[in-house]
Amino acid sequence: MSRHPVTTAARTEAPVTTTYREALREAHRDALRSDPRVFLLGEDVGRYGGSFAVSLGLLEEFGEERVRDTPLSESAFTGAGIGAALRGLRPIVEIMTVNFSLLALDQIVNNAATLRHMSGGQLSVPLVIRMTTGAGRQLAAQHSHSLEGWYASIPGIRVLAPATLEDARGMLAPALADPDPVVIFEHGSLYNLSGTLPVDPVAVDISTAAVRRSGTDVTLIAYAGGLGKALEAADALATEGISAEVIDLRVLRPLDDATITASVSRTHRAVVVDEAWRTGSLAAEVVARIVEQAFYELDAPVERVCGAEVPVPYPHHLEEAALPQVVDVVAAAHRAVGARA
Amino acid sequence: MTEELFVELFTGLLREMIRIRRFEETCAELYSATRIRGFLHLCIGEEAVAVGVVGALSDVDAVVSTYREHGHALARGVPMEAVMAEMFGRSTGCSGGRGGSMHLFDATRRFYGGNAIVAGGLPVAVGLALADHLTSDPAVTVCLFGDGAFAEGEFHESANLAALWHLPVLFCCENNRYAMGTALAREHAATDLATRAAGYGMVAWAVDGMDVLAVREATERALAYVRDSGQPCFLELRTYRFRAHSMYDPDRYRSKDEINRWKELDPIPALAARLVDQELMPAHDVEQWMAGVEGEVDAEIAAAVAAADAAPLEPVEHLTRFVTTEPGDARPGVRAS
Ligand SMILES: Cc1ncc(C[n+]2csc(CCOP(=O)(O)OP(=O)(O)O)c2C)c(N)n1
Ligand SMILES: [Mg+2]
């Protein structure tokens, strides 16, 4: 995973070696330090140290009022986050995984995403909700699904998916500054991603996709856990003389149509990678937009590499088969490029 | 009861607890050796609940469990080979290898899983009991869940429904004082869970979950009550897990002292001591008997591991099997043969 450390522009101090997990933790530390309205709440964020150790040490540093352990009550504590946000605080709600967020879906859809509209603009919900998503660790069907595409279909919320250290470090601050709810998805396979970051956080724009690699023959569009696979596929394609551009969606809602369309207009071919089930997926939405906005630029049908339509199975070989793999991305790119002739 | 019956009961319970303990210890080793993957939650320390509750059921009863369910499955009679094969992800596993440690199923034994969404099994247990009620089936549905699950809306909604509709559910709250790293008093404003459950209009009481005889007796009483009255019942089984929440858990949130205090209540030596104290068996015989049982159990475990190891993986071409019903698949009302 560390084959593609994110490099950043000019910096004065030597960069620090860190991980995705630590970058997230630093972002929380900054937020808690710089704004007394910010507090973190969720299951085991305090004494346990965070189920994925993101908040490790924060309880000791900020105390239990601001790093607040909750009972297993996803609906209630997410709703409580919404209420506190209505009163002008800046809660960060951590839900252990997207699978469990379904117990809070009512609060997220029917309150967080909707209160501004239903109240005719009187209310604002400046809430950040973070959760883990994704498969790849043999956790079976109730711990492995990628449901972020569902969230990306909900008007009223912004949906982010940091896939790099820089975004893990830099997305929380603008998310907290957003007057509306922001849902952040952290892919479970990324926490140990390591690399370097500049000492001072780089501002991250949470409205645009990022081109992670430039290329001319085909655009690979991915996000979260899929980004590393797309970059690896691009490396493999490069050895065959195929130049792939790689776009990291990173903002799943609202989608950055301009970046996608501009790239596809240059390469004329696209492959969309999405770990979620194919039907009704975010990949489906991206393909639809390409077809709507860049149809006449296309030299080949847009390809999709998605998760198989099966609850994620436990055995390693079946889980691998259920998820997009680098070879699948390479094969899809071959089909796209081959169709040129 | 005659003395022989006491000895039979005591040794039966003891044997099953040792069997589960050794199985769990083996799982921990196999996990460290990366033979078992995913999440692994052990019930070491809580064997008295598995054996006392599940062992008291009859074949017609149903069981709904959690991700910490190896002991429940073994006590229910799910063959050890099938449980081990499941954790190896083999097609001979009790869930065909699809579920792993957290999703053990056995429809023929009315073992309805293996649920890894905390409190996710509770509403399903209510539905199973509703069906039994509607079809005048004398079965009881036993639902095992943790103190953490007691905080979820799904528990409270299910308790109310079962009481409101007079359904034969036995709620068994395995209160091991922690939900992952969150101690009981940090998850519940009122920590007397049985009293709160009683507020739903159910008979409810707390039981020493480290005492397998107490658990067994309470379960028998509760089952008789549910069968006779058709009303739900709630048992709070006060217990403790000796190991971390899962193999990922660094266990930072409780003291060694606390763990050691609870280890003094270990249900296995406690029951062995009872055999001696009640003069059912001399100490030396108990020791010998236990050593014999350990040998037998270890042989059973070794055979299960060997069988799991030799068992086939499902072909990749079968990836999308068991998503929707295909010819030959089980359907409700059609019992698998
Ligand atoms: C709805 C939901 N939220 C969170 C989790 C993560 N999680 C798994 S087990 C657990 C603790 C549950 O505690 P308890 O109910 O007491 O059962 P125990 O593990 O102690 O047996 C948590 C928070 C989950 N699996 N499902
Ligand atoms: Mg517990």
Side-chain angles (χ1 to χ4, degrees), chain A residues 23-35 37-38 90-92 126-130 158 160 162 165-182 184 186 200-207:
Chain A
L24 287 167
R25 189 183 305 142
E26 274 314 300
H28 282 74
R29 195 170 268 137
D30 270 0
L32 285 159
R33 271 189 196 143
S34 62
D35 187 344
R37 297 170 306 171
V38 172
R90 293 289 182 276
I92 304 168
L127 171 69
V128 171
I129 304 174
R130 294 173 35 245
R158 180 181 299 276
L160 308 178
L165 298 186
E166 195 172 45
D167 283 355
R169 180 70 176 87
M171 278 183 159
L172 185 63
L176 283 164
D178 194 315
D180 297 313
V182 178
I184 304 179
E186 299 158 8
D200 293 321
V202 176
V204 171
D205 176 6
I206 57 166
S207 58

Short mmCIF file of all heavy atoms in Angstrom, two decimals, chain A residues 23-35 37-38 90-92 126-130 158 160 162 165-182 184 186 200-207:
data_model
loop_
_atom_site.label_atom_id
_atom_site.label_comp_id
_atom_site.label_asym_id
_atom_site.label_seq_id
_atom_site.Cartn_x
_atom_site.Cartn_y
_atom_site.Cartn_z
N ALA A 23 -2.64 10.27 10.78
CA ALA A 23 -3.02 11.53 10.12
C ALA A 23 -4.44 11.93 10.54
O ALA A 23 -4.72 13.09 10.82
CB ALA A 23 -2.93 11.36 8.60
N LEU A 24 -5.33 10.94 10.61
CA LEU A 24 -6.69 11.22 11.08
C LEU A 24 -6.65 11.71 12.53
O LEU A 24 -7.34 12.66 12.91
CB LEU A 24 -7.55 9.96 11.01
CG LEU A 24 -7.97 9.49 9.61
CD1 LEU A 24 -8.53 8.07 9.70
CD2 LEU A 24 -9.02 10.41 9.01
N ARG A 25 -5.82 11.06 13.33
CA ARG A 25 -5.74 11.43 14.75
C ARG A 25 -5.24 12.86 14.90
O ARG A 25 -5.77 13.64 15.69
CB ARG A 25 -4.82 10.45 15.48
CG ARG A 25 -4.84 10.61 16.99
CD ARG A 25 -3.87 9.66 17.66
NE ARG A 25 -4.11 8.29 17.27
CZ ARG A 25 -3.15 7.39 17.03
NH1 ARG A 25 -1.88 7.72 17.14
NH2 ARG A 25 -3.45 6.16 16.69
N GLU A 26 -4.21 13.20 14.12
CA GLU A 26 -3.69 14.57 14.18
C GLU A 26 -4.76 15.58 13.78
O GLU A 26 -4.86 16.66 14.38
CB GLU A 26 -2.47 14.71 13.24
CG GLU A 26 -1.17 14.32 13.89
CD GLU A 26 -0.98 14.90 15.30
OE1 GLU A 26 -0.99 16.14 15.44
OE2 GLU A 26 -0.87 14.11 16.25
N ALA A 27 -5.55 15.23 12.79
CA ALA A 27 -6.62 16.13 12.36
C ALA A 27 -7.61 16.35 13.49
O ALA A 27 -8.08 17.48 13.73
CB ALA A 27 -7.32 15.56 11.13
N HIS A 28 -7.92 15.29 14.22
CA HIS A 28 -8.83 15.42 15.37
C HIS A 28 -8.20 16.28 16.45
O HIS A 28 -8.86 17.12 17.06
CB HIS A 28 -9.18 14.04 15.93
CG HIS A 28 -10.20 13.30 15.13
ND1 HIS A 28 -9.91 12.73 13.92
CD2 HIS A 28 -11.52 13.06 15.36
CE1 HIS A 28 -11.01 12.15 13.44
NE2 HIS A 28 -12.00 12.35 14.29
N ARG A 29 -6.93 16.03 16.69
CA ARG A 29 -6.23 16.78 17.74
C ARG A 29 -6.27 18.28 17.43
O ARG A 29 -6.63 19.09 18.28
CB ARG A 29 -4.79 16.26 17.82
CG ARG A 29 -4.07 16.67 19.07
CD ARG A 29 -2.75 15.92 19.19
NE ARG A 29 -2.88 14.70 19.97
CZ ARG A 29 -2.33 13.53 19.64
NH1 ARG A 29 -1.62 13.42 18.54
NH2 ARG A 29 -2.48 12.50 20.42
N ASP A 30 -5.96 18.61 16.19
CA ASP A 30 -6.02 20.01 15.76
C ASP A 30 -7.41 20.59 15.99
O ASP A 30 -7.55 21.69 16.49
CB ASP A 30 -5.79 20.09 14.23
CG ASP A 30 -4.34 20.25 13.90
OD1 ASP A 30 -3.52 20.32 14.84
OD2 ASP A 30 -4.04 20.30 12.69
N ALA A 31 -8.41 19.84 15.57
CA ALA A 31 -9.79 20.35 15.65
C ALA A 31 -10.19 20.57 17.10
O ALA A 31 -10.78 21.59 17.45
CB ALA A 31 -10.74 19.37 14.97
N LEU A 32 -9.84 19.60 17.95
CA LEU A 32 -10.22 19.71 19.36
C LEU A 32 -9.46 20.86 20.04
O LEU A 32 -9.99 21.54 20.91
CB LEU A 32 -9.93 18.39 20.08
CG LEU A 32 -10.92 17.26 19.77
CD1 LEU A 32 -10.31 15.89 20.07
CD2 LEU A 32 -12.23 17.44 20.55
N ARG A 33 -8.22 21.07 19.60
CA ARG A 33 -7.42 22.14 20.19
C ARG A 33 -7.90 23.51 19.76
O ARG A 33 -7.94 24.44 20.54
CB ARG A 33 -5.96 22.00 19.73
CG ARG A 33 -5.15 21.14 20.65
CD ARG A 33 -3.69 21.22 20.26
NE ARG A 33 -2.97 20.12 20.89
CZ ARG A 33 -1.98 19.46 20.33
NH1 ARG A 33 -1.56 19.79 19.11
NH2 ARG A 33 -1.40 18.48 20.97
N SER A 34 -8.26 23.61 18.49
CA SER A 34 -8.47 24.95 17.94
C SER A 34 -9.90 25.44 18.09
O SER A 34 -10.16 26.62 17.92
CB SER A 34 -8.05 24.99 16.47
OG SER A 34 -8.87 24.10 15.74
N ASP A 35 -10.83 24.56 18.41
CA ASP A 35 -12.22 25.00 18.47
C ASP A 35 -12.93 24.33 19.65
O ASP A 35 -13.18 23.13 19.61
CB ASP A 35 -12.93 24.66 17.15
CG ASP A 35 -14.33 25.24 17.08
OD1 ASP A 35 -14.88 25.64 18.13
OD2 ASP A 35 -14.87 25.29 15.96
N ARG A 37 -15.84 24.26 20.42
CA ARG A 37 -17.17 23.71 20.08
C ARG A 37 -17.05 22.27 19.57
O ARG A 37 -18.05 21.56 19.48
CB ARG A 37 -17.84 24.55 18.99
CG ARG A 37 -18.13 25.98 19.40
CD ARG A 37 -18.57 26.79 18.18
NE ARG A 37 -17.58 26.69 17.10
CZ ARG A 37 -17.77 27.16 15.86
NH1 ARG A 37 -18.92 27.74 15.53
NH2 ARG A 37 -16.83 27.04 14.95
N VAL A 38 -15.86 21.85 19.22
CA VAL A 38 -15.68 20.51 18.65
C VAL A 38 -15.62 19.47 19.76
O VAL A 38 -14.93 19.66 20.77
CB VAL A 38 -14.38 20.45 17.80
CG1 VAL A 38 -14.08 19.01 17.37
CG2 VAL A 38 -14.50 21.35 16.58
N ARG A 90 -19.97 21.67 17.31
CA ARG A 90 -19.40 21.02 16.12
C ARG A 90 -19.03 19.58 16.46
O ARG A 90 -17.85 19.22 16.57
CB ARG A 90 -18.14 21.77 15.66
CG ARG A 90 -18.39 23.17 15.14
CD ARG A 90 -19.11 23.14 13.77
NE ARG A 90 -19.32 24.47 13.22
CZ ARG A 90 -20.36 25.26 13.54
NH1 ARG A 90 -21.30 24.85 14.39
NH2 ARG A 90 -20.47 26.45 12.99
N PRO A 91 -20.05 18.75 16.63
CA PRO A 91 -19.76 17.36 17.02
C PRO A 91 -19.16 16.55 15.86
O PRO A 91 -19.50 16.78 14.70
CB PRO A 91 -21.13 16.78 17.39
CG PRO A 91 -22.12 17.86 17.16
CD PRO A 91 -21.48 19.00 16.44
N ILE A 92 -18.29 15.63 16.23
CA ILE A 92 -17.83 14.60 15.30
C ILE A 92 -18.39 13.29 15.85
O ILE A 92 -18.02 12.87 16.95
CB ILE A 92 -16.29 14.52 15.26
CG1 ILE A 92 -15.67 15.87 14.90
CG2 ILE A 92 -15.85 13.43 14.28
CD1 ILE A 92 -14.15 15.92 15.12
N PRO A 126 -24.34 21.53 11.37
CA PRO A 126 -22.90 21.43 11.07
C PRO A 126 -22.26 20.24 11.78
O PRO A 126 -21.47 20.39 12.70
CB PRO A 126 -22.34 22.75 11.59
CG PRO A 126 -23.27 23.11 12.73
CD PRO A 126 -24.63 22.55 12.39
N LEU A 127 -22.61 19.07 11.30
CA LEU A 127 -22.20 17.82 11.96
C LEU A 127 -21.25 17.06 11.05
O LEU A 127 -21.43 17.03 9.84
CB LEU A 127 -23.47 16.98 12.19
CG LEU A 127 -23.31 15.53 12.65
CD1 LEU A 127 -22.79 15.49 14.08
CD2 LEU A 127 -24.66 14.81 12.56
N VAL A 128 -20.26 16.42 11.65
CA VAL A 128 -19.40 15.50 10.90
C VAL A 128 -19.65 14.09 11.44
O VAL A 128 -19.63 13.88 12.65
CB VAL A 128 -17.91 15.87 11.03
CG1 VAL A 128 -17.02 14.78 10.42
CG2 VAL A 128 -17.63 17.21 10.35
N ILE A 129 -19.89 13.17 10.53
CA ILE A 129 -20.05 11.75 10.92
C ILE A 129 -18.94 10.98 10.21
O ILE A 129 -18.80 11.09 8.99
CB ILE A 129 -21.42 11.20 10.49
CG1 ILE A 129 -22.56 12.05 11.08
CG2 ILE A 129 -21.56 9.74 10.91
CD1 ILE A 129 -23.95 11.63 10.59
N ARG A 130 -18.16 10.24 10.97
CA ARG A 130 -17.10 9.42 10.39
C ARG A 130 -17.43 7.95 10.57
O ARG A 130 -17.96 7.56 11.61
CB ARG A 130 -15.76 9.68 11.07
CG ARG A 130 -15.17 11.06 10.90
CD ARG A 130 -13.93 11.20 11.77
NE ARG A 130 -13.21 9.95 11.84
CZ ARG A 130 -13.05 9.25 12.97
NH1 ARG A 130 -13.52 9.68 14.12
NH2 ARG A 130 -12.38 8.11 12.94
N ARG A 158 -22.81 16.14 2.50
CA ARG A 158 -21.60 16.01 1.69
C ARG A 158 -20.95 14.70 2.09
O ARG A 158 -20.96 14.33 3.27
CB ARG A 158 -20.66 17.19 1.98
CG ARG A 158 -19.36 17.18 1.19
CD ARG A 158 -18.47 18.37 1.53
NE ARG A 158 -19.11 19.64 1.24
CZ ARG A 158 -19.12 20.22 0.02
NH1 ARG A 158 -18.50 19.65 -0.99
NH2 ARG A 158 -19.74 21.36 -0.16
N LEU A 160 -17.47 12.35 1.85
CA LEU A 160 -16.04 12.36 1.55
C LEU A 160 -15.44 10.97 1.76
O LEU A 160 -15.91 10.21 2.61
CB LEU A 160 -15.30 13.34 2.47
CG LEU A 160 -15.86 14.78 2.52
CD1 LEU A 160 -15.05 15.61 3.52
CD2 LEU A 160 -15.83 15.42 1.14
N PRO A 162 -11.52 9.98 2.06
CA PRO A 162 -10.08 10.18 1.95
C PRO A 162 -9.38 8.86 1.61
O PRO A 162 -9.65 7.84 2.23
CB PRO A 162 -9.66 10.67 3.35
CG PRO A 162 -10.77 10.22 4.26
CD PRO A 162 -12.02 10.19 3.44
N LEU A 165 -2.91 9.98 2.65
CA LEU A 165 -2.55 10.55 3.94
C LEU A 165 -2.92 12.03 4.00
O LEU A 165 -3.42 12.53 5.00
CB LEU A 165 -1.04 10.42 4.18
CG LEU A 165 -0.48 9.01 4.23
CD1 LEU A 165 0.98 9.06 4.63
CD2 LEU A 165 -1.27 8.15 5.20
N GLU A 166 -2.69 12.71 2.89
CA GLU A 166 -2.97 14.13 2.84
C GLU A 166 -4.45 14.41 3.08
O GLU A 166 -4.81 15.32 3.83
CB GLU A 166 -2.54 14.63 1.46
CG GLU A 166 -2.42 16.11 1.33
CD GLU A 166 -1.82 16.42 -0.03
OE1 GLU A 166 -2.26 15.81 -1.04
OE2 GLU A 166 -0.90 17.25 -0.07
N ASP A 167 -5.29 13.62 2.46
CA ASP A 167 -6.72 13.83 2.65
C ASP A 167 -7.17 13.40 4.03
O ASP A 167 -8.06 14.01 4.64
CB ASP A 167 -7.52 13.10 1.56
CG ASP A 167 -7.49 13.85 0.23
OD1 ASP A 167 -6.93 14.96 0.21
OD2 ASP A 167 -8.00 13.32 -0.77
N ALA A 168 -6.58 12.32 4.55
CA ALA A 168 -6.91 11.89 5.91
C ALA A 168 -6.58 13.02 6.89
O ALA A 168 -7.31 13.29 7.83
CB ALA A 168 -6.15 10.63 6.28
N ARG A 169 -5.48 13.69 6.61
CA ARG A 169 -5.04 14.76 7.49
C ARG A 169 -5.84 16.04 7.28
O ARG A 169 -6.12 16.78 8.21
CB ARG A 169 -3.55 15.05 7.21
CG ARG A 169 -2.92 16.15 8.04
CD ARG A 169 -2.77 15.70 9.47
NE ARG A 169 -2.08 16.71 10.27
CZ ARG A 169 -2.69 17.71 10.87
NH1 ARG A 169 -4.00 17.84 10.78
NH2 ARG A 169 -2.02 18.59 11.58
N GLY A 170 -6.21 16.28 6.03
CA GLY A 170 -6.72 17.61 5.70
C GLY A 170 -8.21 17.74 5.51
O GLY A 170 -8.72 18.86 5.36
N MET A 171 -8.96 16.67 5.51
CA MET A 171 -10.39 16.80 5.20
C MET A 171 -11.25 17.18 6.40
O MET A 171 -12.34 17.73 6.25
CB MET A 171 -10.92 15.50 4.59
CG MET A 171 -10.62 15.38 3.10
SD MET A 171 -11.33 13.87 2.42
CE MET A 171 -11.40 14.31 0.67
N LEU A 172 -10.78 16.87 7.59
CA LEU A 172 -11.64 17.08 8.76
C LEU A 172 -11.92 18.57 8.99
O LEU A 172 -13.07 18.95 9.27
CB LEU A 172 -11.03 16.44 10.00
CG LEU A 172 -11.90 16.50 11.26
CD1 LEU A 172 -13.20 15.71 11.07
CD2 LEU A 172 -11.15 15.96 12.48
N ALA A 173 -10.90 19.40 8.87
CA ALA A 173 -11.09 20.83 9.15
C ALA A 173 -12.14 21.46 8.23
O ALA A 173 -13.09 22.07 8.72
CB ALA A 173 -9.75 21.56 9.08
N PRO A 174 -12.03 21.29 6.92
CA PRO A 174 -13.08 21.86 6.08
C PRO A 174 -14.44 21.20 6.30
O PRO A 174 -15.48 21.85 6.16
CB PRO A 174 -12.57 21.64 4.65
CG PRO A 174 -11.49 20.61 4.75
CD PRO A 174 -10.91 20.74 6.11
N ALA A 175 -14.44 19.93 6.67
CA ALA A 175 -15.71 19.27 6.95
C ALA A 175 -16.38 19.92 8.16
O ALA A 175 -17.59 20.15 8.17
CB ALA A 175 -15.49 17.78 7.20
N LEU A 176 -15.58 20.23 9.17
CA LEU A 176 -16.14 20.88 10.36
C LEU A 176 -16.58 22.31 10.06
O LEU A 176 -17.50 22.83 10.69
CB LEU A 176 -15.10 20.87 11.50
CG LEU A 176 -14.94 19.54 12.22
CD1 LEU A 176 -13.65 19.51 13.03
CD2 LEU A 176 -16.15 19.23 13.11
N ALA A 177 -15.92 22.93 9.10
CA ALA A 177 -16.29 24.30 8.75
C ALA A 177 -17.54 24.35 7.87
O ALA A 177 -18.17 25.39 7.74
CB ALA A 177 -15.12 24.96 8.02
N ASP A 178 -17.91 23.22 7.31
CA ASP A 178 -19.10 23.16 6.46
C ASP A 178 -20.35 23.37 7.32
O ASP A 178 -20.49 22.71 8.36
CB ASP A 178 -19.14 21.79 5.78
CG ASP A 178 -20.14 21.73 4.62
OD1 ASP A 178 -21.28 22.23 4.79
OD2 ASP A 178 -19.79 21.17 3.57
N PRO A 179 -21.24 24.25 6.93
CA PRO A 179 -22.45 24.47 7.74
C PRO A 179 -23.45 23.32 7.66
O PRO A 179 -24.43 23.29 8.40
CB PRO A 179 -23.05 25.75 7.16
CG PRO A 179 -22.52 25.82 5.76
CD PRO A 179 -21.16 25.18 5.79
N ASP A 180 -23.19 22.36 6.79
CA ASP A 180 -24.10 21.23 6.61
C ASP A 180 -23.42 19.92 6.98
O ASP A 180 -22.21 19.86 7.09
CB ASP A 180 -24.58 21.20 5.16
CG ASP A 180 -25.37 22.45 4.81
OD1 ASP A 180 -26.26 22.82 5.61
OD2 ASP A 180 -25.07 23.07 3.77
N PRO A 181 -24.22 18.85 7.13
CA PRO A 181 -23.63 17.57 7.56
C PRO A 181 -22.65 17.01 6.53
O PRO A 181 -22.91 17.06 5.33
CB PRO A 181 -24.84 16.64 7.69
CG PRO A 181 -26.04 17.48 7.59
CD PRO A 181 -25.68 18.77 6.97
N VAL A 182 -21.56 16.48 7.04
CA VAL A 182 -20.56 15.84 6.18
C VAL A 182 -20.33 14.43 6.71
O VAL A 182 -20.12 14.24 7.91
CB VAL A 182 -19.22 16.62 6.21
CG1 VAL A 182 -18.18 15.91 5.34
CG2 VAL A 182 -19.43 18.06 5.73
N ILE A 184 -17.89 11.18 6.44
CA ILE A 184 -16.56 10.80 5.98
C ILE A 184 -16.38 9.29 6.09
O ILE A 184 -16.59 8.72 7.16
CB ILE A 184 -15.46 11.50 6.82
CG1 ILE A 184 -15.66 13.03 6.77
CG2 ILE A 184 -14.07 11.12 6.33
CD1 ILE A 184 -14.64 13.81 7.60
N GLU A 186 -13.88 6.11 5.91
CA GLU A 186 -12.49 5.68 6.00
C GLU A 186 -12.45 4.19 5.64
O GLU A 186 -13.11 3.39 6.29
CB GLU A 186 -11.98 5.90 7.44
CG GLU A 186 -12.02 7.37 7.84
CD GLU A 186 -12.04 7.58 9.36
OE1 GLU A 186 -11.87 6.61 10.11
OE2 GLU A 186 -12.26 8.73 9.78
N ASP A 200 3.14 20.98 8.55
CA ASP A 200 1.91 21.75 8.61
C ASP A 200 0.90 21.18 7.62
O ASP A 200 1.24 20.90 6.48
CB ASP A 200 2.19 23.22 8.26
CG ASP A 200 3.03 23.87 9.34
OD1 ASP A 200 2.79 23.58 10.53
OD2 ASP A 200 3.95 24.64 8.99
N PRO A 201 -0.34 21.00 8.08
CA PRO A 201 -1.32 20.40 7.19
C PRO A 201 -1.56 21.25 5.95
O PRO A 201 -1.54 22.47 6.01
CB PRO A 201 -2.58 20.32 8.06
CG PRO A 201 -2.35 21.25 9.20
CD PRO A 201 -0.89 21.34 9.40
N VAL A 202 -1.75 20.55 4.86
CA VAL A 202 -2.04 21.22 3.60
C VAL A 202 -3.56 21.34 3.49
O VAL A 202 -4.27 20.39 3.80
CB VAL A 202 -1.49 20.37 2.43
CG1 VAL A 202 -1.85 20.97 1.09
CG2 VAL A 202 0.01 20.20 2.58
N ALA A 203 -4.04 22.51 3.09
CA ALA A 203 -5.49 22.69 2.95
C ALA A 203 -6.01 21.76 1.86
O ALA A 203 -5.39 21.63 0.80
CB ALA A 203 -5.79 24.14 2.62
N VAL A 204 -7.11 21.10 2.13
CA VAL A 204 -7.70 20.19 1.16
C VAL A 204 -9.04 20.75 0.73
O VAL A 204 -9.83 21.19 1.57
CB VAL A 204 -7.86 18.78 1.77
CG1 VAL A 204 -8.69 17.89 0.84
CG2 VAL A 204 -6.51 18.14 2.03
N ASP A 205 -9.26 20.73 -0.55
CA ASP A 205 -10.53 21.22 -1.10
C ASP A 205 -11.52 20.06 -1.06
O ASP A 205 -11.29 19.03 -1.70
CB ASP A 205 -10.25 21.69 -2.53
CG ASP A 205 -11.51 22.13 -3.24
OD1 ASP A 205 -12.58 22.17 -2.57
OD2 ASP A 205 -11.43 22.41 -4.44
N ILE A 206 -12.61 20.22 -0.34
CA ILE A 206 -13.58 19.11 -0.26
C ILE A 206 -14.72 19.27 -1.25
O ILE A 206 -15.84 18.83 -1.01
CB ILE A 206 -14.10 18.88 1.17
CG1 ILE A 206 -14.75 20.14 1.75
CG2 ILE A 206 -12.98 18.38 2.08
CD1 ILE A 206 -15.57 19.86 3.01
N SER A 207 -14.40 19.88 -2.39
CA SER A 207 -15.43 19.92 -3.43
C SER A 207 -14.93 19.35 -4.76
O SER A 207 -15.71 19.23 -5.70
CB SER A 207 -15.92 21.36 -3.64
OG SER A 207 -14.84 22.18 -3.99
#
